[in-house]
Amino acid sequence: MSASAEINEIEEGLALQPKFDASGLVTCVATDAQSGDVLMVAHMNDEALRKTIATGDAWYFSRARQSLWRKGETSGQVQRVVEMRLDCDQDAVWVRVEQTGGACHTARRSCFYRAVPFGKGGPVTLEFREDCVFDPQNVYRDKR
Amino acid sequence: MSASAEINEIEEGLALQPKFDASGLVTCVATDAQSGDVLMVAHMNDEALRKTIATGDAWYFSRARQSLWRKGETSGQVQRVVEMRLDCDQDAVWVRVEQTGGACHTARRSCFYRAVPFGKGGPVTLEFREDCVFDPQNVYRDKR
């Protein structure tokens, strides 16, 4: 197959052929199915992707721990996938999820709890936009 | 500073201290400010991040072309940033944007124009969910 035919097959085809990076991962964005807010950005390896597709629960691969991980397996803050989308070059996945509690280990609903003011010039001071939605001491205690 | 104090400063601090990867990049998710749909996933280097913050236009760093790139500079399909958020460990950015036309080079509004059916078992057949919103022949002609 020519290079352009191969690109066309990846972009316009019906076959799932994820383009994993050198570490065997694709980027995954999880958004709140109701609000549309981005909850977290994480990674999936082939097994995490397959398990998510098979079960409808969000599975990821932790680069820090180098292990497969079902979101919420220690915290109880699970993600049920409502819809999964794949991007044009098949190296990124978007899951719309029903998030129990909060997605972030800091106990916020979203990992993106700070805004970056822009267009002002000068030094940047982040602005907090979200409160905690659970008690991390309780949720993660004895479970790590 | 101890490791835990450093993590606390990154996660709970007011200072922008992006954690660029080995290639000098952070991941950036752009969502449609109106619909909440994920439009694209791309990358920013330090300069792209600074230019985005300074101007309110979305700038990225193209890994394929190894160059800084203002979204829409060749296609006219620009992104005006409505809000910028930073994630807990400061290695990912979320921008809510007003997207002119379509974000995807395939001429769809979003790069995530195919759904991955899940929970069914068996082989996966992708499902198209978006039509083209511009004529790529026209938009990119003589501009690449």
Side-chain angles (χ1 to χ4, degrees), chain A residues 25-123:
Chain A
L25 303 175
V26 290
T27 301
C28 181
V29 180
T31 63
D32 186 303
Q34 265 73 53
S35 68
D37 285 353
V38 176
L39 295 172
M40 57 188 274
V41 171
H43 295 85
M44 291 182 175
N45 65 355
D46 185 52
E47 191 177 359
L49 186 58
R50 287 175 193 281
K51 281 182 180 282
T52 303
I53 292 171
T55 65
D57 288 323
W59 285 77
Y60 298 101
F61 185 82
S62 166
R63 293 183 300 179
R65 297 189 300 271
Q66 285 289 304
S67 66
L68 198 70
W69 154 59
R70 183 171 65 80
K71 176 69 184 167
E73 69 187 359
T74 55
S75 66
Q77 316 290 296
V78 298
Q79 293 180 340
R80 283 295 299 170
V81 177
V82 172
E83 188 181 29
M84 178 185 277
R85 298 273 191 113
L86 188 67
D87 81 340
C88 43
D89 57 0
Q90 303 211 19
D91 68 352
V93 171
W94 166 27
V95 285
R96 291 174 55 235
V97 303
E98 289 172 348
Q99 171 73 58
T100 300
C104 187
H105 74 288
T106 69
R108 278 91 172 189
R109 177 84 176 159
S110 163
C111 292
F112 294 84
Y113 49 84
R114 285 172 296 185
V116 183
F118 61 90
K120 293 181 178 172

Side-chain angles (χ1 to χ4, degrees), chain B residues 9-59:
Chain B
E9 174 58 28
I10 290 167
E11 295 183 346
E12 303 296 335
L14 297 176
L16 177 67
Q17 38 187 328
K19 195 169 88 184
F20 297 106
D21 68 11
S23 303
L25 304 174
V26 290
T27 300
C28 180
V29 180
T31 63
D32 186 303
Q34 265 72 55
S35 69
D37 285 352
V38 176
L39 296 172
M40 57 187 275
V41 171
H43 296 84
M44 292 182 175
N45 65 355
D46 185 51
E47 192 178 358
L49 186 58
R50 286 176 193 281
K51 280 182 180 282
T52 303
I53 292 171
T55 65
D57 287 323
W59 286 78

Side-chain angles (χ1 to χ4, degrees), chain B residues 105-107 132 134-141 144:
Chain B
H105 74 289
T106 69
C132 294
F134 61 84
D135 178 356
Q137 298 297 323
N138 196 40
V139 161
Y140 289 106
R141 188 179 51 190
R144 278 188 190 273

